[in-house]
Amino acid sequence: MKKNLLLLFTIACLLCNLNSFAQITPAPSSTQTIIQDFGLGKITLTYSRPNVKGRKIFGYTEPYNTVWRTGANAATTITFTDDVMLEGHKVVAGTYGLFSIPGESEWTIILSKNAKQWGAYSYNAADDYLRFTIKPIKIDETVETFTMQFTNVFPTSADLNLLWEHTALMMHLTIDIDAKVMARIDSAMQTAKKPYYDAIIYYWNNNKDMTKALPWAQALQTAPGFPPMVVKLWLARTELRVGDKAAAIKAAQEGIAAAQTEKSTEYIRLNTEVLTDAKK
């Protein structure tokens, strides 16, 4: 115990001394902060990125069955502005230390309530907020620099990936925002500035009742600031979704004509897609 306390004291003193000097050389392990929009909020991930540098990493430099800071230097931190589900486990909004225990066939992922730590030297299991296990994936390509990234990002789901050496991990995130969004739409529709455009898109993307969205799509035709090729597209899409193919064909044709005037190949294509579907 005395040796551990002495080690922590020595590290703290060293860090204080280092912080008192301006940085004159680049850090061996660079720091990266990723801010990812998610749901109606954000996820902020900050970590340091060590390199392989010809070493054997997992099972040697980073031993199996030992708590790892999931990076280098200060412990990795992750901040959620809203409650999320991480691999099926609820995580309330807040900032956590992201630790892990590498294993040959299974890793343990840890969210710690103590986010401000240097390394894992002062890690304490009593501070754990969440623990779960995940299977690593062996990859042929060598990932030289430890990398964390978000992929498959949708409004309510995303994957957080960890890659280093020949190992990859993927953690699935989801968030439930539907009730909040629907309440916001209903509330905003009672105001003078009605969010027709955003509401129509949300209803269409999330398979909501498009009969409710149809009057919004019709009202959008006279709303200021929207090009005809855009409003005709969403009117056509809405009419097609409610089953009025004839009306959808007419709106899509008008959208194509407007897009041709604006020389917009994108909206020619989008309106044509609706026209094709409506004619089936």
Side-chain angles (χ1 to χ4, degrees), residues 31-71:
T31 300
Q32 182 177 62
T33 296
I34 304 170
I35 301 176
Q36 175 63 59
D37 289 348
F38 192 54
L40 296 170
K42 298 181 184 298
I43 304 173
T44 302
L45 177 67
T46 299
Y47 71 110
S48 292
R49 308 183 66 192
N51 290 311
V52 174
K53 295 186 290 189
R55 301 173 295 173
K56 175 175 171 53
I57 301 300
F58 296 115
Y60 185 73
T61 303
E62 300 302 339
Y64 290 139
N65 305 316
T66 300
V67 176
W68 180 40
R69 70 190 89 183
T70 320

Side-chain angles (χ1 to χ4, degrees), residues 72-210:
N73 304 327
T76 293
T77 62
I78 188 166
T79 300
F80 304 100
T81 58
D82 295 306
D83 297 354
V84 301
M85 298 292 287
L86 176 59
E87 283 293 316
H89 305 279
K90 183 177 180 180
V91 179
V92 300
T95 299
Y96 303 90
L98 178 57
F99 294 89
S100 54
I101 303 176
E104 192 168 5
S105 60
E106 185 175 78
W107 281 45
T108 298
I109 304 298
I110 303 166
L111 292 187
S112 172
K113 291 175 286 187
N114 183 359
K116 296 182 178 179
Q117 300 186 48
W118 183 265
Y121 302 105
S122 58
Y123 166 79
N124 187 338
D127 294 325
D128 286 2
Y129 174 82
L130 172 66
R131 276 190 176 217
F132 60 88
T133 58
I134 194 167
K135 299 291 184 183
I137 303 166
K138 294 297 180 183
I139 55 178
D140 294 331
E141 178 186 356
T142 299
V143 179
E144 174 64 30
T145 304
F146 176 54
T147 298
M148 301 179 73
Q149 61 187 16
F150 293 97
T151 59
N152 303 318
V153 180
F154 294 91
T156 58
S157 65
D159 294 321
L160 174 57
N161 299 273
L162 285 69
L163 305 99
W164 200 21
E165 195 188 26
H166 294 290
T167 297
L169 296 171
M170 185 173 72
M171 292 174 277
H172 191 58
L173 288 148
T174 59
I175 188 167
D176 185 4
I177 60 170
D178 186 64
K180 187 181 292 187
V181 171
M182 294 293 281
R184 287 186 178 186
I185 290 173
D186 288 343
S187 177
M189 285 299 176
Q190 304 306 311
T191 68
K193 192 174 182 180
K194 295 176 171 55
Y196 294 129
Y197 183 71
D198 291 339
I200 294 164
I201 292 175
Y202 186 81
Y203 268 55
W204 192 79
N205 283 332
N206 292 277
N207 297 313
K208 299 295 182 180
D209 180 7
M210 295 305 289

Side-chain angles (χ1 to χ4, degrees), residues 246-262:
I249 289 171
K250 180 176 181 295
Q253 288 172 335
E254 292 172 351
I256 292 168
Q260 288 171 337
T261 300
E262 296 295 328

Side-chain angles (χ1 to χ4, degrees), residues 221 227-237 247-279:
Q221 311 304 297
M229 61 185 181
V230 175
V231 297
K232 293 300 180 182
L233 170 67
W234 285 104
L235 178 61
R237 282 178 167 175
I249 289 171
K250 180 176 181 295
Q253 288 172 335
E254 292 172 351
I256 292 168
Q260 288 171 337
T261 300
E262 296 295 328
K263 297 181 172 58
S264 173
T265 55
E266 178 184 7
Y267 277 87
I268 292 172
R269 173 179 58 81
L270 292 173
N271 279 283
T272 300
E273 287 175 357
V274 182
L275 179 62
T276 302
D277 288 340
K279 288 182 175 180

